[in-house]
Structure formats: structure tokens, C-alpha cells
Amino acid sequence: MELSVAMCGLLCLLFSQAVPMCVPTDYTLYEERRECDFCVAINTTICMGFCYSRDSNMKELAGPRFLIQRGCTYDQVEYRTVILPGCPLHANPLFTYPVALSCHCGTCNTDSDECAHKASSGDGARCSKPLRQIYPYPGLNNYIPPN
Amino acid sequence: MCVLKSTGVSLILSVLLFIADSYPNSDKTNMGCEECTLKPNTIFPNIMQCTGCCFSRAYPTPLRSKQTMLVPKNITSEATCCVAKEGERVTTKDGFPVTNHTECHCSTCYYHKS
């Protein structure tokens, strides 16, 4: 019994240093459009966690050369499309969103990403309209909900 | 029986220690993170430097935010980095002007864009 406990403790101790901290995490996306009747909640995966960084003691002399600054961001991403319910005919009901397949600690790619300076404390107001849940089928890149 | 058990346990422990020891001590690996704190600079051991891990995330840009963007982006990245909150300018024995960090915190990343 004591041996099992000791083994578990040792395993946890050893592998706690090896567990990556920037990982895909379940996330619920809330989206609504002005012209549509509903706010939709979509389950997706984002990248979230802790990344190593280091400040430089020699910024005056060497600039950012010795700085290490990284953020947890998407590595492999898949885009999925859903149809937003309750939209009039003239409005575009399609909504495309990214799903994180894998994450990594890296620089923020300004070509594809909006690089915000600081993590916000909260997500803010989610919906001002009635909520509808959308459940895309796993593995399906384009989901069309039934009427 | 006891001898066999002990041998087995020792073998497993040795393998685990070998695996743990073989992980590279590289800053580039995405490994378990220690908090943002003061550590001695590797080049100037008498100078303290802020190093460690801070929280960050990347998520789909909300539609409302995307509509206000000049160039709409599908992904928003929010990051904080381990930087010095306070420091003092000192000169090393070799005459290099450096900043000795005295307090650290997770704050704005200014050099994480590519």
C-alpha cells in the first residue's frame, strides 16, 4: 500500500515538470448578429495556458536581443462553419470559426492574429438576444443544423 | 519474491529518473512552468533577472470586435510576459551598464509579435 502511494507520488513529481502548460482547452463561443434573432453558443477549442518568458537586463545595450517573449497560441487549426438560426434572407447566416487542434508557445503572427497586449479579466457581456446552442458533429468541418 | 519486487521497483525508478533527467533544460521546450520570479542572470550571476511563466490565451475573435478592426483577424491572442516591475541601473565589473531587476510581474508583452 505504502509502495503504491510512494510510486504515485514519485510519478506525479517527475511528470509534473514534463506536462505541457499551453494546451487546447474547451471553450464556448457566444456569437450574435444584429440582423439575426438569436445568440448562439458554440462549443469549440482554444489555446490557453502558461508560457515561459524572460526579461533582459541589457535592453539599453543590446535591445530585445536577450528577451524571450511568447504567448500560448494556435499551432494546428481547423476552420468550421455553422449556420446561424433566425437570420433574414438578405443576411449572411454563415459563421466560420477556428478550432484549435494543437497549441504551442510562440510569437503572435500579426498576419493572421490580433495581438492584444494584455489578457482581459473577463469575457464581457455574452448575449443580448435569446440563446441557442449549436452542436457541430465531431469531425465535420461544415455543420448545417436541422430546421 | 520480495527481492524480485524490490528489483522491479528499482528498475522502474531508474527508468523514470533517466527519462526525467534526459529532458533538455532548454527554454524552448513547452514544459511545466515555474512562476515569474527573480533568478540570477546566467552571464552576470550577481545581477538578478525576471524569468518564468505567465498566462496567455488565443481564441476566436468575437464578431463585434472583428467589425471594428481595420484588418479583421479571425484569432485574437492575449498574452502576458514575465517582465521587471522595478529595477536599478548598475555597472558590472567589466563596465557594462545593466539593469538589476528587483521586482517581477506578468505584464504587457512588447516583443512577442512576428
Side-chain angles (χ1 to χ4, degrees):
Chain A
M1 178 66 181
E2 292 87 357
L3 183 66
S4 309
V5 171
M7 282 290 292
C8 285
L10 187 63
L11 270 168
C12 291
L13 195 67
L14 286 169
F15 284 97
S16 64
Q17 292 302 310
V19 173
M21 297 297 288
C22 170
V23 293
T25 309
D26 290 335
Y27 182 80
T28 302
L29 192 58
Y30 294 91
E31 286 296 339
E32 64 181 26
R33 283 195 182 148
R34 206 178 328 116
E35 56 270 28
C36 302
D37 296 335
F38 298 99
C39 175
V40 294
I42 303 167
N43 292 328
T44 184
T45 310
I46 66 168
C47 291
M48 191 161 80
F50 290 82
C51 290
Y52 178 84
S53 53
R54 184 180 76 189
D55 202 355
S56 170
N57 296 106
M58 300 171 66
K59 269 186 244 179
E60 288 172 357
L61 209 62
R65 202 161 288 128
F66 297 109
L67 271 171
I68 296 175
Q69 293 198 337
R70 299 192 196 99
C72 183
T73 188
Y74 291 73
D75 186 8
Q76 288 175 300
V77 60
E78 180 182 85
Y79 280 88
R80 293 184 188 167
T81 303
V82 295
I83 293 181
L84 300 177
C87 294
L89 290 171
H90 67 271
N92 180 12
L94 298 177
F95 174 66
T96 303
Y97 61 96
V99 178
L101 300 177
S102 65
C103 305
H104 75 294
C105 289
T107 52
C108 181
N109 185 350
T110 51
D111 288 336
S112 58
D113 302 350
E114 178 68 15
C115 304
H117 283 304
K118 208 169 180 178
S120 55
S121 54
D123 290 321
R126 288 173 176 174
C127 292
S128 60
K129 296 181 181 181
L131 187 64
R132 271 257 191 113
Q133 186 82 34
I134 287 185
Y135 301 98
Y137 294 112
L140 195 66
N141 285 349
N142 290 296
Y143 169 70
I144 300 172
N147 292 325
Chain B
M1 191 64 183
C2 279
V3 171
L4 274 172
K5 229 180 186 177
S6 306
T7 311
V9 168
S10 303
L11 197 63
I12 292 169
L13 282 174
S14 304
V15 169
L16 288 173
L17 280 167
F18 174 74
I19 291 168
D21 193 47
S22 64
Y23 276 113
N25 289 323
S26 169
D27 294 336
K28 293 173 185 171
T29 54
N30 192 9
M31 293 171 61
C33 270
E34 47 195 13
E35 64 166 328
C36 172
T37 187
L38 286 167
K39 287 193 180 73
N41 186 299
T42 50
I43 301 170
F44 307 108
N46 295 330
I47 303 296
M48 299 306 283
Q49 184 179 29
C50 289
T51 67
C53 298
C54 294
F55 180 77
S56 56
R57 64 175 186 165
Y59 56 90
T61 304
L63 208 56
R64 264 179 279 187
S65 305
K66 215 192 267 192
Q67 286 164 349
T68 63
M69 289 178 182
L70 211 62
V71 180
K73 307 276 176 68
N74 290 327
I75 292 167
T76 293
S77 173
E78 293 178 337
T80 55
C81 294
C82 184
V83 294
K85 192 175 182 182
E86 281 180 16
E88 53 190 12
R89 292 173 68 177
V90 297
T91 308
T92 63
K93 288 175 188 174
D94 303 316
F96 291 113
V98 297
T99 304
N100 182 35
H101 299 160
T102 53
E103 198 178 337
C104 307
H105 66 162
C106 290
S107 187
T108 308
C109 307
Y110 287 108
Y111 300 99
H112 75 307
K113 297 178 187 177
S114 63

